[in-house]
Amino acid sequence: AEAPKGPPPETSALRLLGLLQQEARFIDFISENIDDYDDAQVGAAVRQIHADCRKALAERVRFERVFQEEEG
């Protein structure tokens, strides 16, 4: 199948993904092959990416529980 022509539709999911890329380089990290890095190097990178993603989400999204019961 041919790829659609023109820009992708603006959706909330694409805007959120763009935000995570802009503020936390999320897509860059997920796309990179990390096989050649040791666990300490990956852990150090993930810590900053996690903090940046968390901050970006906290400033724009309010999460609520779907079910009030405890999981189990």
Side-chain angles (χ1 to χ4, degrees):
E2 272 188 49
K5 303 218 184 306
E10 282 294 313
T11 65
S12 297
L14 286 176
R15 285 194 301 268
L16 179 59
L17 196 55
L19 169 72
L20 293 175
Q21 172 61 17
Q22 180 181 351
E23 297 197 16
R25 299 191 63 206
F26 177 73
I27 297 169
D28 291 343
F29 176 73
I30 296 300
S31 299
E32 186 171 344
N33 181 352
I34 61 172
D35 292 344
D36 294 334
Y37 298 103
D38 63 37
D39 290 347
Q41 290 172 305
V42 173
V46 169
R47 188 169 300 281
Q48 187 60 55
I49 293 166
H50 179 269
D52 292 343
C53 285
R54 185 177 168 121
K55 179 179 181 260
L57 289 174
E59 291 174 351
R60 293 167 179 88
V61 179
R62 184 178 65 142
F63 293 100
E64 294 181 5
R65 291 181 72 150
V66 175
F67 298 106
Q68 296 307 314
E69 301 84 30
E70 290 297 319
E71 292 184 43

Tab-separated table of all heavy atoms in Angstrom, residues 29-37:
chain	number	residue	atom	x	y	z
A	29	PHE	N	15.473	8.507	21.764
A	29	PHE	CA	15.942	7.451	22.660
A	29	PHE	C	15.375	6.094	22.260
A	29	PHE	O	16.106	5.100	22.159
A	29	PHE	CB	15.579	7.758	24.107
A	29	PHE	CG	15.963	6.652	25.040
A	29	PHE	CD1	17.289	6.441	25.371
A	29	PHE	CD2	15.012	5.796	25.566
A	29	PHE	CE1	17.658	5.392	26.219
A	29	PHE	CE2	15.369	4.754	26.410
A	29	PHE	CZ	16.697	4.560	26.730
A	30	ILE	N	14.073	6.029	22.002
A	30	ILE	CA	13.423	4.766	21.660
A	30	ILE	C	13.963	4.222	20.340
A	30	ILE	O	14.089	3.013	20.154
A	30	ILE	CB	11.886	4.941	21.589
A	30	ILE	CG1	11.334	5.320	22.954
A	30	ILE	CG2	11.194	3.709	21.037
A	30	ILE	CD1	11.588	4.301	24.041
A	31	SER	N	14.314	5.114	19.416
A	31	SER	CA	14.800	4.703	18.095
A	31	SER	C	16.258	4.263	18.102
A	31	SER	O	16.694	3.558	17.193
A	31	SER	CB	14.641	5.858	17.102
A	31	SER	OG	13.285	6.211	16.981
A	32	GLU	N	17.001	4.673	19.105
A	32	GLU	CA	18.429	4.372	19.126
A	32	GLU	C	18.686	2.919	19.533
A	32	GLU	O	18.034	2.386	20.426
A	32	GLU	CB	19.138	5.300	20.107
A	32	GLU	CG	20.637	5.166	20.082
A	32	GLU	CD	21.342	6.234	20.899
A	32	GLU	OE1	20.720	7.241	21.240
A	32	GLU	OE2	22.520	6.026	21.197
A	33	ASN	N	19.642	2.295	18.888
A	33	ASN	CA	20.065	0.948	19.259
A	33	ASN	C	20.980	1.081	20.486
A	33	ASN	O	22.056	1.663	20.396
A	33	ASN	CB	20.811	0.290	18.102
A	33	ASN	CG	21.253	-1.112	18.435
A	33	ASN	OD1	21.155	-1.579	19.566
A	33	ASN	ND2	21.762	-1.812	17.445
A	34	ILE	N	20.567	0.529	21.602
A	34	ILE	CA	21.337	0.674	22.842
A	34	ILE	C	22.125	-0.584	23.200
A	34	ILE	O	22.679	-0.679	24.291
A	34	ILE	CB	20.435	1.100	24.016
A	34	ILE	CG1	19.360	0.055	24.293
A	34	ILE	CG2	19.821	2.474	23.760
A	34	ILE	CD1	18.562	0.294	25.543
A	35	ASP	N	22.205	-1.524	22.283
A	35	ASP	CA	22.890	-2.790	22.554
A	35	ASP	C	24.357	-2.610	22.939
A	35	ASP	O	24.900	-3.410	23.693
A	35	ASP	CB	22.802	-3.726	21.349
A	35	ASP	CG	21.383	-4.216	21.095
A	35	ASP	OD1	20.530	-4.090	22.004
A	35	ASP	OD2	21.131	-4.714	19.983
A	36	ASP	N	25.012	-1.603	22.410
A	36	ASP	CA	26.443	-1.413	22.678
A	36	ASP	C	26.730	-0.641	23.968
A	36	ASP	O	27.882	-0.441	24.318
A	36	ASP	CB	27.112	-0.701	21.498
A	36	ASP	CG	27.107	-1.555	20.244
A	36	ASP	OD1	27.055	-2.803	20.367
A	36	ASP	OD2	27.148	-0.987	19.139
A	37	TYR	N	25.691	-0.197	24.661
A	37	TYR	CA	25.886	0.548	25.905
A	37	TYR	C	25.708	-0.384	27.091
A	37	TYR	O	24.885	-1.293	27.062
A	37	TYR	CB	24.877	1.697	26.009
A	37	TYR	CG	25.022	2.713	24.909
A	37	TYR	CD1	24.145	2.730	23.835
A	37	TYR	CD2	26.020	3.671	24.949
A	37	TYR	CE1	24.267	3.659	22.819
A	37	TYR	CE2	26.144	4.608	23.946
A	37	TYR	CZ	25.268	4.598	22.878
A	37	TYR	OH	25.400	5.519	21.882
